[in-house]
Amino acid sequence: MSPRTLGFTLTGYALLAALFRACSLRVPVFKVPFLGGAGFGWLLVALILGAGVWLAVKGAREWQFSPLTLKQLHRFRSIRRGYISFLLLLALAALAALDNFIIGKQALIVHYNGSTYLPFITDVLPGKTFGLPYEAETDYRELQKKFRAEKHGNWVLMPLVPYAAKLDAPQVIAELEERGGLVFEKGSAKPYSGRAYSVFQSKPEQKRQEFIYRNGIRSGEMRGWDEAGEQIEKGRYDRGTLADYVDYKNGAAKALESAAAPGLLTVVYPPSAPSWTHRHFLGTNSLGSDVLAILFGGWQQALIAAVLFTTVVFVVGIVVGGTLGYFGGIYDLIGQRLIEIWQNLPFLFIVMIVSSIISPTLVILVGIISVFGWMGTTTYLRTATYREKSRDYVAAARLQGASTARIIFRHVLPNVIAILVTLAPFEIAGIITSLAALDFLGFGLPPDEPSWGRLLHEGTENFNYPWIVSSAFAAMVSVLVLVTFVGEAVREAFDPKKFTTYE
Amino acid sequence: MQSKEQRAGSRGQLIRRAALACACSLLSAPCSLRGDDRFPPYDNTAEVKAFWAASPEFFQFKTASDVPKDLKWETGMDLPELGDPAAKKGGTFYTEIPSFPPTFRFVGPDGNNTFRGEHHDNISISLVMRHPNADKWMPGLAEAWAISPDGLTVYYKLDPKATWSDGVPVSVEDFFMTFFVMLSPHIKDPWYNDFYKKEYKAIAKYDEHTLSITIPDRRPDPVYDTAGLPPTARHFFKEFGEDFPARYQWRKSPTTGAYDIKPEGIKRGRSVTLGRVQNWWAKDKKYYRYLFNPDFIEYKVIGSTDKAWELFRQGKLDFFSNRFAALPPLYWYEKSESPEFYNGYIERGVFYNVYPRISRGIYLNMSKQPLDNLDVRLGINYSLNFQKVIDVILRGDAVRMQSTFAGFGRFTNPALRALPFDVEKAQEHFAKAGYSQRGKDGVLVNASGKRLSLTLTMPDQALFVQVGLMLKEEALKAGLELKVESMDITQLYKKLDQKTHEMTVAAWGATPPYPRFWEGYHSDNAWKVQPDGTKKIVPDTNNITMVADPVMDPIIDRQRKAETEDEMQKLCWQLQEMVQAKAVSIPAWDSPFYRYAHWRWICFPKDGNVKMSQLPLDSFVFWIDEDKKAETKQAMREGKSFGEVTHIYDQYRE
């Protein structure tokens, strides 16, 4: 892609982002600059626009990479493992940018009484918009069921996974069926064990009777209620036969026999197993939130954290490490001692203290981790700058009268950037692991934010629901493995030696 | 590579070193058996006598003829028996505690730890005890008692057989000693200093077995206020002095109860074993003879609840419930789906008890905007969907508590009702407070654009976090945004002490007989008026709702000094209505029962337990049946099934 094309793309993106924001539409890929708030978002959009216009106007029509860079790119592409991992990660990042287009609880399109709505990008649409009796945000899943039952020509299109990553824990209710005298869960071959209840035909939210089943036969406590919700009967079943029956209201229970809707229902208490019918493809966690949605939300958090962390650490590394390495002397001496003192601070304790005083947001958490994690990159860059500074071409430039700024920005830095590129994937792996570790211990993000570490912690406490821990584990392992493969491939691609010999 | 000689030599060296180490440890062992050299011997007998002599109007030494002749002595022997006559004595009861107790003292730093209940509060016999089924007084250390005509003094006749667990008889001076200890600054516990100074006016000795205790003001039942005075063994606390916390850290004081901790029962960090006192003085007395049946009770320290469950299923623990009153749904439902339960080797029990309820709920801090507006508070009440929490998270096993004063019998106002989840009513009240428009994200805003957003602080335990997130999801329907803040519990206490919270989940423990209002709702505990007229928040009090109502204050003061039960009831009901009207204490759920699981060789009486029990083991009515244990082990080997057993005791259900 030439600089001009890049410029046009950036300008287009910035203009569209500004346009959507001005119309208060939150379109998935174009809302990324505004993740940090309105002010910061407009600033970012302005910067992108500026860069795009400048590139489009001043940029060359063609761009030639230096032969060295071409060789490095070619070598990277030839390492299939790293290259494919890189493409996979790009694809996953693109998926993350799609946000509630693929995973979310707001509907994509709602067609109601002739008008079309796009709830996933507009502001909150109250229930009254679609004829529901409440003013809070519409429950689009319930709306879809309602429209399907009414058959008035209205329809709702939900995303692939119709659950949000946070604050979305609907109840899962399953139907039971009777086959050959035993009660089974619909579609299951094993007789049902657990609680089951029937509801009133006229008032489906009120239970009529509740039984306990063991291997498809009633055995255990039984209770019954009237329409007002008061308990009117109780009994005990012993292997299918009723014993100890008590009717509190003298015959009222008998009169209600026909009031119950046919069929038995049961509440599938969270955590519930993966189920295609309920669209919980990886099951739910102990609160009832969809595991796939939480993995998605956690991946978005990891991406944001990775970008922020890498930016901060690299900027600080270049500034501090570069100046320490270039200017040296007493400044370097003092700077290094300060870095040593800082390195001895106990990272985990301070994070725990800060976490218990305030409830940290993602930015604050990444800030704390970068405050304790910038030393590594700084040292690398200091060494690299020291090495470059002692090279002949820098001496030659100085003899020719180049200013310090020119030497730093035109000669030293470009050669030092190679190290940053090699470091980047491992820093990303580091921050993802640190974030997950803090969340696992409970000192990270607040409980209503989706995070892999918290899901992993929940999974280890609930081993008898294996889908929680295996999903979180698989997600973390795959992403970290992909990042590591990319890192290794980059390192090998940037290695000046093509072959290494052992003596 | 070592040669054979080198290896033999180094092995020889190893053996020599090991022998040296053994010898050192053997030599040093007598050093530790000789006693703690950190604490030089000390005798405070003279000090104690001087203390008593210094306040003759408090510590009165009278003669037997000074006892009034016209007293009506009660013996309390006409109440129903406790426990089951079929109970067998003997066996070791294995149970668990989450962490090793920090001390065996019952007062002083860390003195009020959770383990104290197991070796002190539930075991010690006081002068008279409350009969847990009949709710009347039954004899304890005292075999007879009488109230003076003016209602300020109660006379007690000690049982001559009453002895401490080390054989020394209980004497009247031991009760005098209690004041020496509890009023001393050496215990480093100002609450006890204050309590023992204010709640008692005088104590008098008449003869070796008769004493009387006088209280400063008339109370509905003076026996309540005097029977709780414990004796403190003078011979054991002879060394009580300035180094009390350190000196007595691991010394278990002798007890008047049935179980004692011997030094060989303490395995530091791993387990504590209570052993039955030999020839316990009350072992054949009515009300006590069928209780306290196991010979040994071993508390293993097990950190995680999951591990405790697995050990329980293997039979290494006899009982599972110690940490929770109402076993969480995970254990009661899912984890109980296992062969030991189906075959009846492990039995489950549900007991509906009568006891003051823990006032679990959400408390609003009135000193924070906008919580000073009554309509906002009422709206919040209507926005909290506790019913859904009960139905889903607690699987319908709990009920909505109707007020934070539930469980006090006649002293709980029966007309109090918790406000249900009602989105329309919530919106109505919020609109009255100015929050009538819905913002772009569905949260209500007022005219100046301020969003209705409040922080709900809670301890970082899994159950509360689940509850908080569910309440948050439901509150959004009413337009209220709750920011869930989960904190470490010590940090949470600090935050509540400083009154910087907005909404918090809190639970106050409650003891019979009367609800308390002064700590939680009196303005002295909320604001302090400075000399220049400004108000400052008073930290470190129980008044976390910052209620300061000049109309309520005098009624609270009167309630503390109520003289008859009828007056107490009237004032309690009135105060409870006033607190309810302020809508600052939102009750959560309440389990009207406790439930537990145990191996079938642990037997309970036919009616399950005593009516006023808070936890299943506290009443000690259970016993171990060794025959049943052998039978069960045999059945487990053969694969025989007894059928699934769940006992439900709802005879006391309200």
Side-chain angles (χ1 to χ4, degrees):
Chain A
M1 188 191 276
S2 74
R4 254 179 107 194
T5 341
L6 183 62
F8 284 133
T9 324
L10 286 177
T11 321
Y13 178 83
L15 284 175
L16 277 174
L19 177 68
F20 286 135
R21 178 75 182 191
C23 300
S24 56
L25 292 176
R26 274 185 291 278
V27 182
V29 176
F30 296 94
K31 67 179 178 183
V32 169
F34 292 96
L35 285 176
F40 201 66
W42 283 115
L43 185 66
L44 217 52
V45 165
L47 279 174
I48 298 175
L49 188 64
V53 163
W54 186 79
L55 276 176
V57 165
K58 284 285 199 55
R61 275 173 207 267
E62 282 172 16
W63 177 263
Q64 245 186 334
F65 285 113
S66 76
L68 181 64
T69 318
L70 276 175
K71 197 170 78 152
Q72 285 165 339
L73 284 174
H74 182 75
R75 213 165 146 202
F76 179 71
R77 269 204 291 270
S78 70
I79 304 170
R80 303 313 288 172
R81 197 170 67 180
Y83 185 53
I84 295 187
S85 310
F86 179 65
L87 293 177
L88 275 175
L89 278 175
L90 277 185
L92 283 174
L95 273 183
L98 285 178
D99 201 29
N100 56 358
F101 185 72
I102 44 175
I103 297 184
K105 65 176 178 185
Q106 283 110 353
L108 294 176
I109 310 176
V110 176
H111 187 86
Y112 177 71
N113 286 351
S115 2
T116 313
Y117 303 85
L118 299 170
F120 78 113
I121 49 179
T122 53
D123 292 332
V124 159
L125 292 172
K128 290 206 156 61
T129 329
F130 303 110
L132 292 169
Y134 50 83
E135 272 188 40
E137 183 176 5
T138 319
D139 188 343
Y140 293 99
R141 293 183 294 258
E142 293 303 313
L143 194 68
Q144 191 177 45
K145 281 198 211 133
K146 181 165 170 273
F147 284 171
R148 282 206 183 127
E150 284 174 358
K151 295 203 218 308
H152 283 167
N154 302 322
W155 50 270
V156 171
L157 179 65
M158 293 293 289
L160 272 173
V161 179
Y163 298 101
K166 44 190 249 183
L167 289 185
D168 193 18
Q171 254 187 315
V172 179
I173 297 182
E175 278 179 28
L176 302 172
E177 55 184 7
E178 210 174 304
R179 277 186 258 141
L182 294 175
V183 165
F184 294 80
E185 234 181 284
K186 251 206 174 89
S188 164
K190 213 167 63 116
Y192 177 69
S193 289
R195 292 184 168 223
Y197 60 93
S198 59
V199 292
F200 278 95
Q201 208 147 45
S202 46
K203 195 174 172 199
E205 53 279 11
Q206 177 57 44
K207 286 190 208 169
R208 169 67 197 89
Q209 286 178 319
E210 189 180 59
F211 310 95
I212 299 183
Y213 281 86
R214 274 262 171 273
N215 293 327
I217 310 176
R218 289 184 190 176
S219 60
E221 242 204 340
M222 169 277 237
R223 289 183 291 175
W225 296 267
D226 63 5
E227 278 213 48
E230 253 191 84
Q231 187 172 348
I232 55 171
E233 56 178 350
K234 83 166 182 185
R236 200 171 51 83
Y237 277 88
D238 191 18
R239 276 175 281 244
T241 37
L242 182 59
D244 299 348
Y245 178 75
V246 169
D247 185 333
Y248 297 131
K249 292 284 167 86
N250 292 346
K254 210 128 176 90
L256 288 171
E257 247 171 40
S258 52
L264 282 169
L265 302 168
T266 179
V267 175
V268 183
Y269 287 105
S272 54
S275 129
W276 199 267
T277 36
H278 293 121
R279 309 274 228 132
H280 284 298
F281 299 114
L282 287 177
T284 59
N285 72 348
S286 49
L287 188 61
S289 314
D290 185 53
V291 168
L292 185 55
I294 295 180
L295 287 181
F296 189 71
W299 171 230
Q300 289 175 322
Q301 304 274 21
L303 271 179
I304 298 173
V307 165
L308 281 178
F309 180 74
T310 322
T311 318
V312 167
V313 163
F314 281 7
V315 164
V316 169
I318 291 174
V319 166
V320 177
T323 46
L324 282 183
Y326 190 83
F327 294 114
I330 193 157
Y331 170 62
D332 180 34
L333 215 64
I334 296 178
Q336 279 227 277
R337 304 287 84 76
L338 288 176
I339 290 181
E340 274 167 19
I341 296 174
W342 194 253
Q343 262 178 331
N344 275 308
L345 287 176
F347 158 66
L348 203 58
F349 283 134
I350 297 191
V351 168
M352 277 159 66
I353 293 171
V354 172
S355 272
S356 56
I357 297 176
I358 55 168
S359 223
T361 62
L362 184 66
V363 174
I364 296 178
L365 213 50
V366 171
I368 301 171
I369 300 177
S370 37
V371 157
F372 288 97
W374 60 271
M375 288 87 79
T377 325
T378 309
T379 319
Y380 273 122
L381 285 169
R382 173 185 164 275
T383 323
T385 318
Y386 242 130
R387 191 187 58 192
E388 295 303 320
K389 189 183 156 206
S390 60
R391 284 269 164 88
D392 289 338
Y393 65 89
V394 172
R398 279 173 69 193
L399 281 175
Q400 286 187 322
S403 70
T404 319
R406 189 184 165 86
I407 299 179
I408 293 181
F409 287 107
R410 286 221 62 156
H411 295 284
V412 174
L413 270 187
N415 291 314
V416 147
I417 294 287
I419 297 196
L420 286 183
V421 179
T422 334
L423 267 180
F426 301 107
E427 296 281 339
I428 293 177
I431 177 66
I432 294 181
T433 317
S434 301
L435 199 62
L438 282 180
D439 284 336
F440 184 91
L441 294 172
F443 297 112
L445 295 169
D448 42 359
E449 297 285 332
S451 84
W452 287 348
R454 204 170 265 273
L455 193 65
L456 203 57
H457 181 76
E458 219 182 285
T460 54
E461 287 192 331
N462 293 297
F463 257 116
N464 44 337
Y465 307 109
W467 54 88
I468 305 178
V469 68
S470 42
S471 315
F473 181 72
M476 271 207 76
V477 164
S478 344
V479 163
L480 289 176
V481 159
L482 289 175
V483 169
T484 312
F485 283 165
V486 169
E488 278 179 15
V490 166
R491 189 177 45 77
E492 210 182 303
F494 277 68
D495 193 349
K497 300 202 204 74
K498 182 137 172 94
F499 301 103
T500 317
T501 49
Y502 291 101
E503 307 256 323
Chain B
M1 302 289 256
Q2 284 180 313
S3 69
K4 241 199 197 151
E5 294 85 356
Q6 280 179 317
R7 264 182 279 144
S10 61
R11 199 172 51 215
Q13 263 193 347
L14 204 62
I15 294 175
R16 274 201 294 272
R17 279 200 216 120
L20 200 59
C22 285
C24 281
S25 63
L26 283 173
L27 282 174
S28 61
C31 299
S32 59
L33 287 171
R34 213 183 292 138
D36 223 332
D37 291 327
R38 287 182 296 160
F39 304 114
Y42 185 78
D43 190 341
N44 59 11
T45 321
E47 211 180 304
V48 175
K49 287 212 158 64
F51 180 78
W52 293 342
S55 326
E57 73 288 347
F58 195 98
F59 300 100
Q60 300 167 5
F61 290 88
K62 302 192 183 159
T63 57
S65 50
D66 291 318
V67 179
K69 300 285 182 293
D70 52 350
L71 290 171
K72 216 159 48 92
W73 290 94
E74 295 183 42
T75 55
M77 294 301 275
D78 52 346
L79 303 170
E81 180 68 88
L82 286 173
D84 194 331
K88 300 183 189 172
K89 300 276 184 206
T92 307
F93 185 72
Y94 295 98
T95 180
E96 50 95 21
I97 42 176
S99 58
F100 197 78
T103 177
F104 289 127
R105 285 184 275 103
F106 50 85
V107 77
D110 287 327
N112 61 343
N113 60 75
T114 332
F115 191 69
R116 194 186 78 177
E118 310 287 339
H119 73 87
H120 181 83
D121 299 19
N122 295 341
I123 305 259
S124 304
I125 309 289
S126 47
L127 283 166
V128 291
M129 307 280 283
R130 196 73 179 166
H131 190 279
N133 280 336
D135 202 14
K136 289 195 171 42
W137 296 111
M138 65 183 190
L141 287 173
E143 55 181 13
W145 61 96
I147 308 176
S148 69
D150 63 358
L152 291 174
T153 308
V154 186
Y155 297 84
Y156 293 98
K157 280 212 185 100
L158 290 180
D159 188 334
K161 289 207 298 291
T163 45
W164 294 101
S165 49
D166 52 5
V168 175
V170 175
S171 67
V172 173
E173 273 87 349
D174 288 330
F175 291 89
F176 282 56
M177 183 68 176
T178 306
F179 287 97
F180 178 75
V181 170
M182 296 301 189
L183 289 175
S184 159
H186 303 321
I187 57 171
K188 310 224 183 355
D189 211 323
W191 191 88
Y192 282 98
N193 294 146
D194 182 74
F195 183 83
Y196 280 86
K197 196 157 57 191
K198 290 220 190 93
E199 300 292 323
Y200 299 97
K201 184 139 166 259
I203 178 171
K205 172 179 175 178
Y206 298 94
D207 62 28
E208 291 310 310
H209 300 293
T210 315
L211 75 148
S212 78
I213 306 170
T214 312
I215 49 176
D217 311 299
R218 286 177 63 94
R219 311 286 293 143
D221 188 353
V223 180
Y224 250 127
D225 304 275
T226 51
L229 181 70
T232 310
R234 264 177 317 148
H235 62 284
F236 181 78
F237 283 98
K238 220 166 39 171
E239 298 187 28
F240 175 82
E242 206 174 314
D243 54 6
F244 164 71
R247 189 187 282 254
Y248 282 88
Q249 179 83 353
W250 297 110
R251 296 195 198 176
K252 168 80 182 75
S253 53
T255 174
T256 50
Y259 291 100
D260 195 13
I261 305 179
K262 302 277 186 327
E264 57 265 21
I266 305 175
K267 293 197 179 68
R268 198 79 76 86
R270 293 202 351 249
S271 74
V272 180
T273 307
L274 304 183
R276 202 139 54 99
V277 172
Q278 302 282 45
N279 295 317
W280 186 42
W281 60 274
K283 73 176 174 23
D284 294 316
K285 280 185 74 157
K286 187 180 182 190
Y287 309 123
Y288 301 103
R289 54 190 167 189
Y290 302 126
L291 308 180
F292 307 106
N293 302 309
D295 276 338
F296 296 100
I297 303 179
E298 184 179 314
Y299 295 89
K300 280 209 242 293
V301 176
I302 300 178
S304 92
T305 321
D306 276 336
K307 186 173 168 194
W309 178 263
E310 291 307 316
L311 285 173
F312 169 65
R313 269 190 51 207
Q314 288 171 20
K316 298 215 173 56
L317 295 177
D318 292 325
F319 201 85
F320 192 85
S321 148
N322 246 5
R323 303 178 196 214
F324 316 99
L327 220 54
L330 177 66
Y331 291 98
W332 186 254
Y333 295 109
E334 272 90 42
K335 293 206 177 187
S336 299
E337 305 274 327
S338 69
E340 292 89 359
F341 288 83
Y342 293 155
N343 291 329
Y345 306 139
I346 297 180
E347 296 178 356
R348 298 193 290 169
V350 179
F351 187 84
Y352 286 81
N353 63 343
V354 175
Y355 204 81
R357 303 299 176 204
I358 295 179
S359 58
R360 195 184 296 111
I362 295 189
Y363 293 85
L364 310 176
N365 185 348
M366 275 175 68
S367 67
K368 295 269 179 192
Q369 300 257 4
L371 292 168
D372 50 351
N373 185 323
L374 177 64
D375 279 309
V376 170
R377 296 201 299 273
L378 284 169
I380 295 174
N381 270 261
Y382 285 114
S383 321
L384 295 175
N385 193 352
F386 276 109
Q387 196 53 46
K388 187 164 179 196
V389 165
I390 291 169
D391 286 335
V392 177
I393 297 180
L394 301 173
R395 317 263 181 117
D397 289 332
V399 293
R400 181 83 197 270
M401 199 159 55
Q402 296 301 335
S403 82
T404 51
F405 302 101
F408 283 97
R410 60 178 289 198
F411 301 107
T412 300
N413 191 333
L416 297 173
R417 286 280 173 273
L419 297 176
F421 177 65
D422 192 329
V423 170
E424 276 167 27
K425 287 220 180 83
Q427 282 178 160
E428 214 180 281
H429 283 285
F430 286 141
K432 272 200 222 147
Y435 293 90
S436 43
Q437 296 285 27
R438 288 249 180 185
K440 286 208 275 204
D441 51 0
V443 176
L444 287 168
V445 292
N446 67 359
S448 47
K450 188 156 162 306
R451 289 166 78 242
L452 187 58
S453 169
L454 293 162
T455 308
L456 173 63
T457 318
M458 60 182 55
D460 59 358
Q461 290 157 13
L463 178 68
F464 286 118
V465 170
Q466 277 185 331
V467 169
L469 292 178
M470 178 160 281
L471 288 177
K472 177 174 176 161
E473 202 183 321
E474 297 292 309
L476 268 180
K477 294 190 182 153
L480 166 68
E481 183 189 43
L482 290 176
K483 292 200 276 261
V484 170
E485 183 184 31
S486 77
M487 307 177 102
D488 168 62
I489 197 142
T490 322
Q491 289 302 118
L492 179 69
Y493 283 152
K494 281 204 176 49
K495 186 164 181 165
L496 294 187
D497 277 341
Q498 300 302 317
K499 321 282 176 78
T500 51
H501 59 284
E502 287 183 337
M503 298 168 61
T504 182
V505 172
W508 305 109
T511 46
Y514 320 117
R516 305 172 82 96
F517 296 91
W518 184 79
E519 292 90 347
Y521 298 104
H522 197 277
S523 61
D524 279 351
N525 289 322
W527 299 99
K528 188 177 157 83
V529 181
Q530 305 283 73
D532 57 0
T534 53
K535 288 200 298 188
K536 216 164 78 100
I537 294 180
V538 178
D540 299 319
T541 68
N542 280 12
N543 192 345
I544 58 173
T545 53
M546 296 297 285
V547 165
D549 189 345
V551 176
M552 271 178 79
D553 288 345
I555 307 179
I556 295 178
D557 291 329
R558 274 216 312 277
Q559 187 258 351
R560 280 180 100 191
K561 299 208 172 311
E563 295 186 6
T564 62
E565 292 215 331
D566 287 332
E567 189 189 351
M568 176 64 83
Q569 178 182 304
K570 185 168 122 280
L571 292 171
C572 283
W573 287 23
Q574 191 181 11
L575 283 169
Q576 286 165 16
E577 264 170 37
M578 297 174 89
V579 171
Q580 196 81 339
K582 291 201 189 302
V584 281
S585 319
I586 308 173
W589 63 88
D590 169 30
S591 294
F593 54 78
Y594 54 74
R595 53 191 183 193
Y596 48 90
H598 59 90
W599 282 86
R600 63 188 294 273
W601 57 75
I602 305 295
C603 305
F604 283 86
K606 277 197 228 356
D607 59 354
N609 215 314
V610 294
K611 178 172 162 193
M612 300 172 73
S613 51
Q614 198 182 27
L615 291 171
L617 299 177
D618 293 351
S619 51
F620 285 100
V621 293
F622 63 95
W623 68 92
I624 303 174
D625 190 333
E626 297 290 343
D627 297 327
K628 258 186 154 169
K629 190 166 182 175
E631 180 192 34
T632 313
K633 293 240 151 79
Q634 179 74 11
M636 283 168 79
R637 275 194 292 270
E638 293 170 359
K640 184 173 133 192
S641 164
F642 299 101
E644 199 177 340
V645 178
T646 304
H647 304 284
I648 301 182
Y649 304 105
D650 57 359
Q651 65 268 29
Y652 299 118
R653 189 175 185 169
E654 282 158 5

